[in-house]
Amino acid sequence: MCGIFGYIGKRDALPFIVEGLKKLEYRGYDSAGVATLKDARLFLQKCQGKIADLERLLLRKPIDGNIGIGHTRWATHGKPSDENSHPHSDCSEKIAVVHNGIIENYLHLRRELAERGHRFSSVTDTEVIAHLIEEELNIKGTDLEHAVSRALKKLHGSFALAILYEGEKDKIVVARRGSPLIVGVAENETFVSSDIPAILKYTSRVIYLKDNEIAIITQDDISLKNLDGDTVKKEISFISWDPESAEKGGYTHFMLKEIHEQPKAIRDTIKDRIKLDSCQVHFDELNLTEEEIRNINRVVFTACGTSWHAGLAGEYIMEKFVNIPTEVEYAAEFRYRNPIIDENTLVIAITQSGETADTLGAVLEAKSQNAKVISICNVVGSSIARDSHGVIYTCAGPEIGVASTKAFTTQLAVIYLLCLHMGQVRGIINRNEAEEMIKELMAIPQKIEDLLQSEDEVAQIAEKYFHANNALFLGRGKGFPIALEGALKLKEISYIHAEGYPAAEMKHGPIALIDKNMPVVVLALLGRRYEKILGNIEEVNARGGNVIAIATKGDNEIKEKAQDVIYIPPTSSDLSTILAVIPLQLFAYYIAVKRGCHVDQPRNLAKSVTVE
Ligand code: M6R
């Protein structure tokens, strides 16, 4: 949801900002803008469209300076337009503000400001911030940081902000509450960014701003304060991600690169956590004692989107291996539902970004009711990781494609390891079983590599179905979350309407949709539910539908029942989710490419949803 990038140093700020915004474009891409300070004057350019449109504008109307801020927008208040693009200014046009988040009381503030004579040029919530700062600066003796802190005290809602002011030519003031913002510390220059990948090329040293903190960044110094003006200790963290991991590395799209990175991502996620000699699992920052694990009487997975699907898959194995009643809740529902939880409930929040507003809200709600909260998260130091009692990081590296792929499969791997650990602690899984489970998990990366060999076949199948307007995805048991995930992948990047269903539910309604134009993807893996799934396939065939089966290698029978078959290597049913989703990721990808869709930045979406 919107990307912010800022630069202060000795060099020209603009190339850094434009490059940074390109890296953040996955967060929002309906309009963009920049502001710089030079010779104590503020320069500002902005327009509707992508960063490429902004670049064209800047060629016609260049601006420069060693200090600047930029923004790429995902509209919340006001449609995408030149006027609603950031940065926003005050009446005197001396202040530039870029914002990510939502100011909930903006209408009230706007009314008051208008009554006091302020003129507005946009319909955004953000613009009130510029005018509030303007009023504070009009009070004699107030400098920018004090004006900002006073203005921020009047805001309800969430924000990450970067602010320039013509009256203070050597300063960027940034602040956050609820929306992410980091400060990248390099030699003689400082960067501000909504996310890590955009600054990786320049530095690995970052300061994570906490809620209600302000950073005052000048050419020579970075200082942190709270809203009362007290100095806050600066903590510099080191990012271990490789700068190359934020580049496309020869692939046409980040999504394709990230699909191919899954064997490595899973190896990196599991390798240091498995003790082969004792067949045990260890997590550094889980912060959950064996006694606490034994006392848990209920588990709640909570998440959004793809991460929610990982939770749904987790429910099956948590109940099987750990024998604890388990639920899966959409984070936005959980947080406002008055959930009945207590200190013996383990809430597991799953999130790639660690910044999803609904999931963060669910974590805070669970903590307020004394539940133990751990998160499964891909971004070290992110808000959800910090706000949980314990965290298990997925080591997927930066995921830049809006459609989640490697984050999902690494989440599944972590959930499997967590269940193994908890099952052992509770005496449900014995050593031999643990050994077998570990062996199966460690074989998964190689099996994904084998599976990726059939990429061309998946692309050919996609070619047959790319004209479809609707698609159905069916699965039973652990195939059900994968059916949901396959449908989500297809709809979000190809805009084909797709539904995921438990296969048995088809006959209770969706069967009415089936005809010769309707591809039906069926998770038909060998195992306990195989015969039942074959029955569902027959039902689709009897109504003229086209079945694409995801089947277990070696199953020849399925070829007679499905129009197309994609095989995955055999594995335990508990790990089949990781393998089965990969052809569905590729299927969605190739259909989207064939339809000419913008795979990495699908319309209306943003990578990290930091608003409710
Ligand atoms: O960063 P998170 O995992 O918390 O994000 C949750 C969802 O917004 C995310 O999974 C979304 O559904 C993806 N676009 C799916 O591909």
Side-chain angles (χ1 to χ4, degrees):
M1 307 271 100
C2 302
I4 290 175
F5 197 89
Y7 172 89
I8 179 165
K10 308 276 178 243
R11 296 189 271 176
D12 190 6
L14 208 61
F16 289 101
I17 296 172
V18 171
E19 171 88 14
L21 291 180
K22 282 185 184 163
K23 289 253 161 52
L24 294 170
E25 208 171 10
Y26 67 87
R27 301 178 65 87
Y29 28 83
D30 59 47
S31 46
V34 286
T36 56
L37 275 178
K38 190 180 180 194
D39 301 332
R41 277 201 58 203
L42 184 74
F43 297 90
L44 195 153
Q45 293 294 359
K46 57 185 187 172
C47 62
Q48 183 185 344
K50 297 200 157 236
I51 311 298
D53 298 298
L54 177 68
E55 275 182 300
R56 278 189 283 276
L57 172 68
L58 289 167
L59 276 179
R60 282 188 284 116
K61 299 180 177 174
I63 60 173
D64 63 355
N66 306 131
I67 304 174
I69 55 176
H71 187 267
T72 178
R73 180 170 186 245
W74 185 86
T76 57
H77 296 65
K79 64 177 190 277
S81 69
D82 291 353
E83 299 71 40
N84 292 334
S85 312
H86 300 216
H88 288 286
S89 247
D90 60 316
C91 301
S92 65
E93 298 188 346
K94 289 187 173 166
I95 298 164
V97 176
V98 292
H99 168 222
N100 170 24
I102 287 183
I103 306 306
E104 288 164 0
N105 57 336
Y106 87 101
L107 272 178
H108 170 74
L109 293 169
R110 189 181 166 113
R111 231 178 348 256
E112 285 184 347
L113 285 159
E115 277 164 18
R116 293 197 292 270
H118 289 263
R119 288 164 285 105
F120 287 84
S121 350
S122 77
V123 296
T124 62
D125 54 340
T126 305
E127 197 183 338
V128 299
I129 304 171
H131 292 274
L132 286 174
I133 297 171
E134 177 187 19
E135 285 200 337
E136 297 297 340
L137 281 167
N138 283 340
I139 301 169
K140 209 161 178 280
T142 308
D143 61 10
L144 181 60
E145 63 192 80
H146 288 99
V148 170
S149 27
R150 283 192 212 149
L152 296 191
K153 285 184 177 169
K154 297 179 180 154
L155 304 182
H156 301 164
S158 60
F159 52 77
L161 293 167
I163 300 146
L164 294 183
Y165 170 45
E166 208 173 80
E168 294 184 44
K169 61 184 167 60
D170 175 33
K171 194 179 278 180
I172 304 180
V173 171
V174 303
R176 73 158 273 178
R177 181 190 296 158
S179 300
L181 202 66
I182 57 169
V183 177
V185 186
E187 202 67 33
N188 295 324
E189 47 198 6
T190 304
F191 301 86
V192 174
S193 176
S194 296
D195 205 351
I196 298 162
I199 56 158
L200 266 186
K201 201 166 150 188
Y202 314 114
T203 183
S204 304
R205 298 165 66 223
V206 302
I207 301 168
Y208 293 100
L209 236 57
K210 299 198 184 87
D211 277 352
N212 295 311
E213 280 181 2
I214 295 182
I216 301 105
I217 307 167
T218 62
Q219 294 278 5
D220 316 308
D221 188 40
I222 304 169
S223 61
L224 260 56
K225 304 231 165 124
N226 62 23
L227 293 191
D228 293 326
D230 306 321
T231 300
V232 173
K233 194 169 162 262
K234 252 186 321 200
E235 280 173 37
I236 299 186
S237 310
F238 183 78
I239 306 295
S240 61
W241 286 351
D242 170 5
E244 285 298 302
S245 59
E247 308 294 332
K248 276 194 201 139
Y251 285 91
T252 342
H253 296 102
F254 277 110
M255 182 181 178
L256 189 60
K257 174 177 175 248
E258 287 158 7
I259 290 173
H260 280 265
E261 281 174 343
Q262 291 178 103
K264 178 177 181 319
I266 293 176
R267 277 191 192 105
D268 290 349
T269 297
I270 63 177
K271 68 175 183 224
D272 294 330
R273 283 159 173 163
I274 297 173
K275 290 186 189 154
L276 283 174
D277 45 353
S278 59
C279 287
Q280 283 185 329
V281 176
H282 170 77
F283 298 107
D284 277 340
E285 297 170 75
L286 181 60
N287 199 14
L288 202 58
T289 63
E290 296 203 347
E291 194 189 345
E292 282 172 326
I293 291 179
R294 280 189 282 272
N295 287 339
I296 295 166
N297 58 20
R298 187 163 160 230
V299 171
V300 180
F301 285 104
T302 189
C304 306
T306 288
S307 298
W308 185 86
H309 297 154
L312 190 60
E315 179 183 29
Y316 289 84
I317 54 176
M318 183 64 75
E319 291 191 337
K320 174 173 166 187
F321 292 133
V322 195
N323 203 21
I324 302 180
T326 303
E327 291 157 56
V328 192
E329 273 272 12
Y330 286 109
E333 295 302 315
F334 176 83
R335 62 181 296 196
Y336 291 120
R337 194 176 51 88
N338 189 23
I340 315 293
I341 50 179
D342 59 24
E343 65 280 5
N344 293 324
T345 308
L346 176 66
V347 173
I348 306 176
I350 310 173
T351 171
Q352 186 285 128
S353 61
E355 301 293 348
T356 301
D358 289 325
T359 311
L360 181 58
V363 165
L364 299 179
E365 174 63 27
K367 278 172 74 182
S368 76
Q369 300 205 29
N370 299 324
K372 189 86 186 172
V373 180
I374 61 164
S375 56
I376 295 174
C377 182
N378 195 41
V379 180
V380 176
S382 55
S383 304
I384 294 173
R386 284 201 313 245
D387 271 319
S388 308
H389 296 118
V391 56
I392 310 176
Y393 287 111
T394 45
C395 306
E399 190 182 64
I400 296 182
V402 164
S404 187
T405 52
K406 60 178 179 170
F408 179 64
T409 46
T410 51
Q411 286 165 353
L412 293 175
V414 160
I415 291 169
Y416 182 85
L417 280 182
L418 177 65
C419 291
L420 170 54
H421 173 63
M422 290 173 66
Q424 282 181 303
V425 170
R426 289 170 71 104
I428 296 161
I429 298 173
N430 66 32
R431 193 197 152 105
N432 288 346
E433 288 162 338
E435 195 171 345
E436 195 48 42
M437 285 176 69
I438 288 170
K439 210 170 91 200
E440 279 293 337
L441 179 62
M442 289 180 71
I444 287 292
Q446 180 58 52
K447 288 183 183 177
I448 299 177
E449 273 157 16
D450 297 345
L451 181 50
L452 288 170
Q453 300 297 319
S454 50
E455 182 172 351
D456 289 347
E457 287 162 44
V458 181
Q460 279 164 23
I461 297 172
E463 184 112 10
K464 280 170 68 177
Y465 295 105
F466 82 96
H467 282 306
N469 292 322
N470 299 288
L472 203 56
F473 287 70
L474 303 175
R476 283 173 178 258
K478 293 169 204 108
F480 169 48
I482 302 308
L484 291 179
E485 175 60 8
L488 178 61
K489 286 289 89 84
L490 187 65
K491 76 183 114 184
E492 71 180 329
I493 60 168
S494 77
Y495 318 140
I496 293 177
H497 169 237
E499 298 273 1
Y501 265 95
E505 277 292 304
M506 180 182 62
K507 58 185 175 292
H508 298 290
I511 199 164
L513 296 172
I514 290 172
D515 63 16
K516 64 178 175 14
N517 301 317
M518 175 81 130
V520 182
V521 179
V522 185
L523 280 295
L525 302 178
L526 292 178
R528 197 151 73 90
R529 298 175 172 89
Y530 181 68
E531 298 298 331
K532 304 267 181 225
I533 275 281
L534 287 189
N536 298 129
I537 290 179
E538 297 290 12
E539 287 160 9
V540 175
N541 284 336
R543 284 152 186 89
N546 287 307
V547 172
I548 304 159
I550 309 300
T552 311
K553 205 169 185 169
D555 173 11
N556 291 323
E557 189 184 346
I558 195 89
K559 281 194 202 148
E560 287 155 31
K561 306 203 184 278
Q563 278 69 30
D564 295 285
V565 180
I566 304 169
Y567 284 111
I568 66 164
T571 183
S572 76
S573 74
D574 309 302
L575 287 167
S576 61
T577 47
I578 301 183
L579 298 183
V581 77
I582 286 165
L584 303 188
Q585 297 167 346
L586 288 169
F587 183 66
Y589 172 78
Y590 281 106
I591 286 195
V593 169
K594 208 54 209 150
R595 288 166 71 97
C597 299
H598 205 317
V599 173
D600 284 334
Q601 293 165 3
R603 69 182 181 206
N604 305 339
L605 283 170
K607 180 70 182 162
S608 172
V609 186
T610 52
V611 293
E612 277 190 51

